[in-house]
Amino acid sequence: MRMAAAWKSMLAVLLFGICPVNVHAQTFTNPILGGDYPDPTIMREGEDYYMTHSAFDYQPGLVVFHSKDLVHWEPISYALKTYLGSVWAPDICKYKDKYYIYFTVATQSRSNFVVWADSPYGPWSDPIDLHIGNIDPCHVVGDDGTRWLFMSGGRRAKLASDGLSVVPGTEETVYHGWIYPEEWETEGMCLEGPKLRKIGKYYYYLNAEGGTAGPPTSHMITQARSESINGPWVNAPNNPLVHTWSKDERWWSKGHGSLIDTPDGRWYVVYHSYEKDFTCLGRQTLLEPVYLGSDGWFHRYDYVDVAQPIALPFNKAFNADRHGNLSEFRLGLDWKFYKAFNPERVKTANGVLTLQAKGNDPGSSAPLMFISGAHRYEIEAEIELQGDVTAGLVMYYNSQFYQGTGFDKQNRYRYRKGGKSRAGTHGNGETTRLWLRLVNRDCIVTGWYSYDGINWNRETWGMDCSGYNHNTLYEFQSVLPGVFACGSGHAVFSNFRYRELE
């Protein structure tokens, strides 16, 4: 195997004049962001990288991440504080001295929006409606300085010089995609996810095709190029650049890619993918090295398997513990609501969360959640009720499909598929304080409770959440762990703990 890899590396140098990835360096293992981080968009400024993703129905949305090594990421800001609808496929970029995020809001009538800031750390502007349809906007600048917005379906429109509006009458179709073999199993053509950038004499035009869900072999990344922003666009002879070829692979529906370079001229592609047997985690962010060959096209390294360890882009790692601050209940950076964003419901101090109740069950409570991304983990909290409240812990997909455990003053409850059943009464009569725990092991959810935080009892029920994914339930959501409070009053959550399990 080592000889084969070495031969392929040597052949790549001979044919394309590139330096292969150092297979002897320290390694990382995909995903670089585990869990629901789809439609990644990335930019580099010097030695700093910034990335954001689709927010869908989670608020605050458009969390901006920072990294110096492309592997370890920390949240630094969030750009969207207003619920407009499901937020899709953003594009983060810098033009002159300002940063922009273009994104789609998917309601009954889709439209594209933009926010801007003087720093990726924010604050970000209020969203501005560009009043143009299609999805998946991408900002690119022509050689003459004109600004363009490329969108799904090979469409584009000219932007005003400030990038905050579309020039009327400029929308047009300029590209029709790469036609893949008709026997391939996909979700449909779905020409979307455009990402463009000027490299040397060419504009490179990456697209997603095949649909983002459906069969495991659906999604892909294709490339085209042109010497002009106005085309004509020529498809690469080695398309697709990235693709899942078999359902036996670990990573399914690989697609929606963005090219990113390093200061010393190496290239990577960042994209999303579902993990086999864990589609309930959503589409996760992967990183793969690629190279620009002497033929002027991007190529994969044949010996690189994204399911196996890959050489780190940089030997010096950037330390970022994405789950290290969960007990602080940082709204926006770590924790987010489902649809109904209302920061007035939340008060935090010294690791204690006071959550105002909403609705009459977890589904209508707009729970507060975070992204785990782990196959096996547990969450735990001490919960105090104040008022006529039911509160607890939840594994949440949407307002109809969730699982969890909760209690009121008289009873403990089990929640499953939007329904509630009594799990037991309090042996000591009424109580306003209970310690609860949810354990997720390979999509099997179990519940625990304690009256003193020391002696724990396991509930008799267990539930399977593996079917909670977009292929069965739509909405592009994932199963997120979180806390909820419903009824009248509020609940106080303290001693919150998240722990990944063996």
Side-chain angles (χ1 to χ4, degrees):
M1 292 293 292
R2 290 184 179 179
M3 291 183 64
W7 169 247
K8 289 178 180 178
S9 300
M10 185 180 298
L11 186 63
V13 174
L14 292 174
L15 292 178
F16 301 108
I18 53 87
C19 293
V21 174
N22 181 2
V23 296
H24 301 295
Q26 292 180 311
T27 61
F28 73 95
T29 302
N30 277 305
I32 56 171
L33 280 178
D36 195 10
Y37 291 103
D39 304 323
T41 169
I42 188 170
M43 62 164 284
R44 178 175 69 86
E45 187 172 25
E47 296 182 351
D48 295 284
Y49 297 88
Y50 302 100
M51 182 164 59
T52 190
H53 307 77
S54 289
F56 297 114
D57 285 318
Y58 307 123
Q59 290 292 318
L62 297 176
V63 178
V64 178
F65 288 87
H66 170 243
S67 176
K68 284 185 174 291
D69 68 358
L70 284 171
V71 173
H72 302 89
W73 296 85
E74 63 173 355
I76 59 171
S77 68
Y78 52 89
L80 192 59
K81 302 178 288 294
T82 303
Y83 182 69
L84 303 171
S86 188
V87 173
W88 294 4
D91 183 63
I92 189 170
C93 60
K94 184 180 182 182
Y95 180 74
K96 295 185 177 179
D97 60 346
K98 295 189 183 301
Y99 299 82
Y100 300 83
I101 300 177
Y102 293 88
F103 59 96
T104 300
V105 175
T107 58
Q108 290 183 343
S109 57
R110 297 172 183 171
S111 189
N112 289 288
F113 287 70
V114 63
V115 292
W116 63 269
D118 294 323
S119 165
Y121 289 81
W124 292 86
S125 73
D126 291 334
I128 299 169
D129 192 345
L130 298 174
H131 300 290
I132 189 169
N134 304 299
I135 62 172
D136 302 3
C138 175
H139 173 271
V140 64
V141 180
D143 286 332
D144 60 357
T146 54
R147 301 175 70 175
W148 294 90
L149 198 69
F150 279 69
M151 298 161 290
S152 62
R155 305 283 288 175
R156 76 168 187 178
K158 190 175 182 180
L159 289 168
S161 59
D162 62 3
L164 303 181
S165 62
V166 170
V167 177
T170 59
E171 185 178 355
E172 59 182 341
T173 299
V174 295
Y175 178 63
H176 297 284
W178 174 74
I179 305 303
Y180 53 82
E182 63 179 9
E183 66 269 19
W184 286 14
E185 294 179 339
T186 71
E187 197 179 18
M189 180 61 178
C190 302
L191 182 61
E192 58 193 15
K195 289 290 180 284
L196 292 90
R197 64 180 296 168
K198 181 74 177 293
I199 304 170
K201 69 175 183 178
Y202 291 113
Y203 285 89
Y204 288 86
Y205 190 173
L206 266 59
N207 277 274
E209 293 184 16
T212 191
T217 56
S218 58
H219 223 17
M220 66 192 83
I221 302 171
T222 63
Q223 59 176 321
R225 73 185 186 198
S226 172
E227 294 187 20
S228 168
I229 194 68
N230 300 313
W233 298 99
V234 178
N235 287 313
N238 62 319
N239 274 332
L241 177 63
V242 173
H243 183 48
T244 301
W245 297 98
S246 167
K247 66 179 181 180
D248 296 326
E249 297 179 36
R250 176 186 173 188
W251 292 104
W252 289 3
S253 299
K254 293 183 288 193
H256 203 109
S258 295
L259 290 168
I260 191 67
D261 61 340
T262 62
D264 59 358
R266 290 172 290 126
W267 287 97
Y268 290 80
V269 60
V270 177
Y271 55 88
H272 67 208
S273 179
Y274 283 107
E275 187 174 6
K276 179 183 179 181
D277 300 326
F278 292 94
T279 54
C280 63
L281 293 179
R283 291 163 296 171
Q284 307 181 56
T285 301
L286 277 59
L287 176 72
E288 180 175 351
V290 293
Y291 62 89
L292 185 58
S294 57
D295 60 354
W297 295 107
F298 281 94
H299 297 262
R300 295 184 61 253
Y301 292 95
D302 289 340
Y303 61 87
V304 171
D305 182 351
V306 293
Q308 300 297 324
I310 299 174
L312 280 169
F314 304 95
N315 287 329
K316 184 178 180 181
F318 172 63
N319 294 320
D321 182 0
R322 189 158 52 90
H323 296 119
N325 300 296
L326 286 174
S327 61
E328 298 176 19
F329 295 103
R330 301 187 305 177
L331 186 61
L333 298 182
D334 305 307
W335 293 83
K336 46 195 174 182
F337 288 109
Y338 179 73
K339 290 188 176 180
F341 174 53
N342 183 358
E344 295 180 356
R345 290 183 58 207
V346 173
K347 293 181 180 179
T348 59
N350 301 318
V352 176
L353 165 70
T354 301
L355 180 61
Q356 188 70 33
K358 175 180 172 62
N360 53 21
D361 58 22
S364 58
S365 72
L368 197 58
M369 305 170 292
F370 66 94
I371 298 174
S372 165
H375 295 171
R376 300 179 176 185
Y377 62 90
E378 64 182 26
I379 58 173
E380 179 183 305
E382 177 185 356
I383 307 172
E384 181 182 353
L385 308 179
Q386 298 187 5
D388 186 14
V389 179
T390 301
L393 308 177
V394 69
M395 301 287 177
Y396 197 90
Y397 185 86
N398 62 20
S399 58
Q400 292 180 304
F401 291 89
Y402 51 87
Q403 300 173 348
T405 183
F407 77 107
D408 60 19
K409 293 178 182 179
Q410 290 80 34
N411 303 297
R412 302 190 318 277
Y413 298 104
R414 176 188 72 168
Y415 297 93
R416 180 180 185 182
K417 195 183 175 181
K420 180 177 75 171
S421 60
R422 195 175 72 173
T425 59
H426 302 303
N428 56 352
E430 289 192 357
T431 187
T432 59
R433 185 184 301 270
L434 196 63
W435 283 255
L436 292 179
R437 179 189 296 163
L438 276 182
V439 178
N440 185 342
R441 288 184 181 271
D442 300 327
C443 305
I444 303 300
V445 179
T446 55
W448 299 71
Y449 66 96
S450 171
Y451 288 96
D452 58 11
I454 300 173
N455 300 294
W456 286 87
N457 303 284
R458 181 171 177 170
E459 298 283 11
T460 58
W461 50 261
M463 298 175 283
D464 183 351
C465 65
S466 60
Y468 288 13
N469 59 59
H470 175 71
N471 270 348
T472 54
L473 302 178
Y474 291 104
E475 295 190 7
F476 297 110
Q477 309 285 90
S478 67
V479 176
L480 299 188
V483 301
F484 74 91
C486 57
S488 178
H490 58 269
V492 179
F493 296 81
S494 57
N495 296 313
F496 181 86
R497 188 180 68 146
Y498 165 83
R499 185 167 70 96
E500 296 187 6
L501 306 174
E502 295 293 331

